[in-house]
Amino acid sequence: MTEGTPKVVIVGAGFGGLEAAKALARAAATVTVIDRQNHHCFQPLLYQVATAALSPADIAWPIRHILRTQPNATVLMEEVIAVDAQRKCLRTNDGEIAYDYLVIATGATHSYFGHDDWENVAPGLKSIEDGTRIRRSILIGFERAEATSDGAEQNCQLTFVIVGGGATGVEMAGAIAEIARQTLARDFRRIDPRAARIVLIEAGPRLLPTFPPDLSDYVRATLTKAGVEVKTDTMVTRCDNAGVDTSGGRIDACTIIWAAGVVASPAAHWLGVEADRAGRVKVEPDLSLPGHPEIFIVGDTATINDANGRPVPGIAPAAKQMGQYAGRLIVARIAGRTNGKPFRYRHQGDLATIGRRAAVVKFGRLQLKGFVGWIFWSVAHIYFLIGLRYRFLVAFNWLWDYLTFQRGARLITYPPKE
Ligand SMILES: Cc1cc2nc3c(=O)[nH]c(=O)nc-3n(C[C@H](O)[C@H](O)[C@H](O)COP(=O)(O)OP(=O)(O)OC[C@H]3O[C@@H](n4cnc5c(N)ncnc54)[C@H](O)[C@@H]3O)c2cc1C
């Protein structure tokens, strides 16, 4: 590349950022992909790491490896801390990086609705580290219950509270029930893991509010049958290291998992622009920042409406579509073409699984539930994994777990005590 070659910088190698980088593969530009992690994480399967069904390396892949065949792409492991839109450069802890085009794809994180101190006792699930931390907490609960003869302590260790009845909360609750009732059922001598109490708390009137009500009812009934206590219309008012206070009373629990809300990365703060309530930057129809046609914001950090006036959801396919659109638009601009078409989101469907044999799927007019839904869910997730090897690995793990009721990744890793 020559001196005047356009410099495209992409911050974040999640679903949106990677898609933007790939769309720029043939561009006459240098593409620098910056991420604070060295890996891309397939977040839809994180709950399986948190519940010991898959190992971290099954669902996370080095960004450098993913982009190894793209000669114009350079990967830097850095954390971006500021953007100077006037000087067209961004700052990391190691210095400044200049750009001609910038794509911000830094995603979102958990929101504790103003109670950030709850994070210490009620971790959310967003990264591989979160997944292994929650896995440790769940498995340690059973170990400590076995080690103590104090009945109240045993009950507390064997109570698992999940806050938030969206897809992640439902998936976590179903998987923990499975661990307690099946995987660990015969592994302990002094406690009966099947007696574990799993409580799923949702502030709204029903689980999975983005699904049709009959599928929400099905999910509730399936979880209840699996032994999960589902509490809807219930607000959590306090979390501490011994349980939660709710509008329906106190629940003593040594493991609390937060799956209740998300807030966008601080891109709005970096750019000094207004954000919506979830911290997302409102973008132009071509996903650019108002007043800055050279800056694009994609994925969970951006907010834009679809053709029906509804906000584009914070899900992986939306981030991928936005990333691809922004990448292609930059290619067109570099080539001197103008792409007049605004970004158009195509919703592909909603999926959530409830355990080893059940899932709900809404795909246009098609609605599936139960085992058929679960097969659909499994195939869809395997299809979207990166690389043939990982598709085989995950498919084999699931088949093995399905046949044996086992979970192969039941490791309590450092630190053993918190
Ligand atoms: C537990 C869980 C389950 C989910 N399940 C589903 C599902 O089943 N189906 C579905 O469609 N969606 C699901 N989602 C949502 C989906 O994962 C997100 O919508 C999607 O990841 C958003 O893509 P993104 O590119 O905007 O951000 P992300 O994929 O989150 O990527 C952001 C990247 O930016 C990097 N980054 C952040 N800040 C900085 C910084 N300052 N400097 C450098 N790098 C930075 C991060 O390390 C990360 O790699 C789930 C999310 C979670 C957390």
Side-chain angles (χ1 to χ4, degrees), residues 25 40 42 223 234 268 334:
H40 166 80
F42 191 81
L223 283 175
T234 304
I334 289 172

Side-chain angles (χ1 to χ4, degrees), residues 12 14-16 35-37 43-44 80 105-107 125 299-300 314-317 319:
F15 288 101
D35 201 296
R36 61 185 173 197
Q37 309 271 15
Q43 292 168 23
V80 169
T106 39
L125 188 57
D300 285 1
I315 56 174

Side-chain angles (χ1 to χ4, degrees), residues 248-332:
R250 170 86 183 166
I251 302 171
D252 293 331
C254 288
T255 301
I256 308 165
I257 298 160
W258 190 260
V262 291
V263 63
S265 71
H269 175 70
W270 298 338
L271 297 162
V273 297
E274 245 184 82
D276 72 359
R277 275 194 321 156
R280 295 169 303 192
V281 179
K282 193 160 187 301
V283 291
E284 299 283 9
D286 67 355
L287 305 182
S288 66
L289 180 70
H292 285 277
E294 75 288 3
I295 300 180
F296 297 88
I297 302 170
V298 305
D300 285 1
T301 295
T303 178
I304 187 169
N305 286 348
D306 67 13
N308 300 316
R310 284 188 296 255
V312 171
I315 56 174
K320 286 171 100 167
Q321 290 175 30
M322 289 186 192
Q324 190 183 64
Y325 174 92
R328 286 182 178 169
L329 189 54
I330 295 171
V331 172

Side-chain angles (χ1 to χ4, degrees), residues 41-61:
C41 173
F42 191 81
Q43 292 168 23
L45 290 181
L46 253 182
Y47 84 96
Q48 297 228 344
V49 170
T51 54
L54 293 175
S55 293
D58 295 339
I59 64 151
W61 313 283

Side-chain angles (χ1 to χ4, degrees), residues 121-157:
V121 290
L125 188 57
K126 185 68 191 168
S127 63
I128 291 290
E129 289 78 11
D130 295 334
T132 51
R133 180 182 171 193
I134 291 173
R135 178 179 75 183
R136 186 167 61 232
S137 177
I138 295 169
L139 296 176
I140 279 184
F142 290 98
E143 295 297 338
R144 289 193 179 153
E146 175 88 341
T148 182
S149 48
D150 177 334
E153 172 68 10
Q154 263 180 356
N155 287 342
C156 187
Q157 293 292 350

Side-chain angles (χ1 to χ4, degrees), residues 39-40 62 81 90 92 113 147 177 209 213 228 261 304 349 386 391 402 410:
H39 53 267
H40 166 80
I81 50 175
L90 44 82
T92 71
F113 308 118
V228 175
I304 187 169
I386 295 178
R391 290 186 188 136
Y402 183 79
R410 273 165 43 197

